[in-house]
Amino acid sequence: MHILIATDAWLPQVNGVVRSLQNTAREAATLGARIDFLTPADFRTVPMPTYPEIRLALATPGRVRRAMDEVGAGYVHIATEGPIGIMTRRACLARGQSFTTSYHTRFPEYLAARAPVPEVLSYAWLRRFHNAGAGIMVSTPTLEAELHGRGFRNIMRWSRGVDSELFHPRPEAEMDALVATLPRPIFLSVGRVAVEKNISAFLDLDLPGSKVVVGEGPARAELQARHPEVHFLGLREGDALARIYAAADVFVFPSLTDTFGIVLLEALASGLPVAAFPVTGPKDVIGEADVRVGVLNEDLRQAALAALAIDRETARAYALRYSWRACTEQFLHNIELAHARAVPAKAG
């Protein structure tokens, strides 16, 4: 199996989409499948308005068609709805080639948080974008039900995984030296520091001990100035990030718009119980668990304090149920299934 994944989210971005695609490609190779990528690295780019850390590709139909010809993949998967995704979709429709898509990001909610664009219009555009494909992959049952109710068709489940060898409980000597010495309890949040991540809901909580934020984003300077008591550590990856997880006591996930939240699994694998709002992502990862690994509550402070009583070993054991290999097997199965049932694509 040879798959071309078209994605507007790629390195040097650090987010769940990029991590999911990287891990899926790595595991696919061990399963005998090959994945190539069409990314912003293949085009000239310009900074995204209001969010210059993200670069938008100046993709053209001709360049995308040539790239598809050069790769020669038998399957096409469109991971994002940006310029590269749009041009790849157009090329597939023009050729009558089936393709699959995935719904990683609540684009309507993100856009509405930054500009006066009604969500109903954004969802109408997304519905047209995704329904042209042979299948749309989503990460949770809650998101599947929501999109089905909005008229999205051919929805397929594609869960997520965690690197449990990297993210695991550690003795104090292997924890992040700074975080481990902060007054306890230590409440940690990891993610993009941006308005759509609702990070202020965490920063404004009246909690004992210390708050730590890992991540970069356009809102960091303002929020750091407003909350000098919070420890903003900036971007951390790999072992450096894992050491921070291991040093904390509770992972607080304030987002209301994430479709899954890979950081939830990273925290749990590190032995961290989770506190979150009862929304898509946490409801599926935490709320459906048959053991208590986190607390969901509309009152995030109550959730954070209650999570302190949760056993760390239980959190770790639950996270081990999620693997990138199982995630990749699910992805490859979806590709084959969608391709087999596809009818000739029609322009739209």
Side-chain angles (χ1 to χ4, degrees):
M1 179 181 285
H2 185 188
I3 306 164
L4 174 65
I5 295 183
T7 176
D8 295 273
W10 198 243
L11 301 172
Q13 294 181 41
V14 179
N15 55 46
V17 179
V18 175
R19 262 183 269 181
S20 295
L21 297 178
Q22 286 181 306
N23 283 292
T24 298
R26 186 192 67 242
E27 291 294 333
T30 69
L31 295 168
R34 173 183 169 186
I35 293 180
D36 286 313
F37 290 97
L38 186 62
T39 76
D42 299 302
F43 304 90
R44 290 177 53 210
T45 61
V46 295
M48 178 178 175
T50 77
Y51 210 144
E53 292 90 345
I54 296 178
R55 307 285 300 185
L56 298 179
L58 299 177
T60 63
R63 177 68 186 89
V64 169
R65 286 195 300 268
R66 288 193 297 273
M68 292 173 65
D69 290 337
E70 291 168 3
V71 172
Y75 305 87
V76 175
H77 179 75
I78 300 173
T80 56
E81 306 94 340
I84 293 174
I86 291 170
M87 290 298 120
T88 304
R89 174 185 180 275
R90 179 182 298 182
C92 288
L93 292 173
R95 295 178 174 196
Q97 179 175 355
S98 68
F99 61 93
T100 54
T101 64
S102 49
Y103 194 97
H104 289 281
T105 304
R106 288 185 176 276
F107 179 71
E109 287 82 357
Y110 283 19
L111 183 59
R114 296 176 174 276
V117 179
E119 291 181 12
V120 64
L121 296 180
S122 299
Y123 272 112
W125 183 86
L126 286 172
R127 185 167 54 247
R128 184 170 181 267
F129 180 96
H130 288 284
N131 282 350
I136 169 177
M137 302 188 203
V138 303
S139 56
T140 67
T142 301
L143 183 59
E144 178 179 352
E146 179 184 334
L147 292 183
H148 180 76
R150 292 183 181 275
F152 288 73
R153 301 190 302 266
N154 297 324
I155 301 176
M156 317 174 87
R157 193 75 52 76
W158 179 27
S159 189
R160 298 294 182 266
V162 64
D163 183 347
S164 57
E165 294 185 3
L166 173 62
F167 298 101
H168 60 84
R170 299 168 183 243
E172 186 173 349
E174 296 180 12
M175 296 177 182
D176 181 88
L178 170 62
V179 177
T181 59
L182 295 176
R184 292 189 179 274
I186 299 168
F187 297 92
L188 170 68
S189 184
V190 177
R192 191 164 62 249
V193 186
V195 61
E196 67 271 10
K197 294 296 186 178
N198 197 34
I199 186 69
S200 290
F202 168 56
L203 301 179
D204 291 340
L205 295 180
D206 179 15
L207 293 171
S210 306
K211 296 178 192 171
V212 176
V213 173
V214 173
E216 287 288 357
R220 178 182 172 181
E222 175 189 349
L223 292 175
Q224 190 166 357
R226 192 190 306 169
H227 295 276
E229 77 286 0
V230 176
H231 303 271
F232 287 81
L233 304 185
L235 181 62
R236 295 289 191 276
E237 297 181 84
D239 190 65
L241 174 59
R243 290 172 181 271
I244 294 173
Y245 276 121
D249 295 301
V250 171
F251 184 76
V252 182
F253 188 73
S255 176
L256 299 171
T257 57
D258 276 61
T259 57
F260 189 90
I262 291 176
V263 290
L264 296 173
L265 296 182
E266 293 175 350
L268 292 172
S270 303
L272 276 187
V274 172
F277 291 110
V279 296
T280 302
K283 278 204 307 187
D284 298 279
V285 178
I286 307 298
E288 296 299 321
D290 55 0
V291 291
R292 192 166 186 255
V293 297
V295 180
L296 305 184
N297 196 318
E298 294 291 353
D299 186 328
L300 193 59
R301 180 178 183 273
Q302 286 189 18
L305 293 175
L308 286 168
I310 295 177
D311 181 72
R312 297 176 71 100
E313 292 183 2
T314 302
R316 164 73 176 175
Y318 179 69
L320 294 180
R321 302 180 188 182
Y322 291 84
S323 73
W324 284 115
R325 186 176 184 87
C327 164
T328 303
E329 290 173 342
Q330 192 176 34
F331 174 77
L332 297 177
H333 175 73
N334 287 344
I335 294 287
E336 288 186 318
L337 180 62
H339 185 77
R341 75 184 182 192
V343 297
K346 297 180 181 180

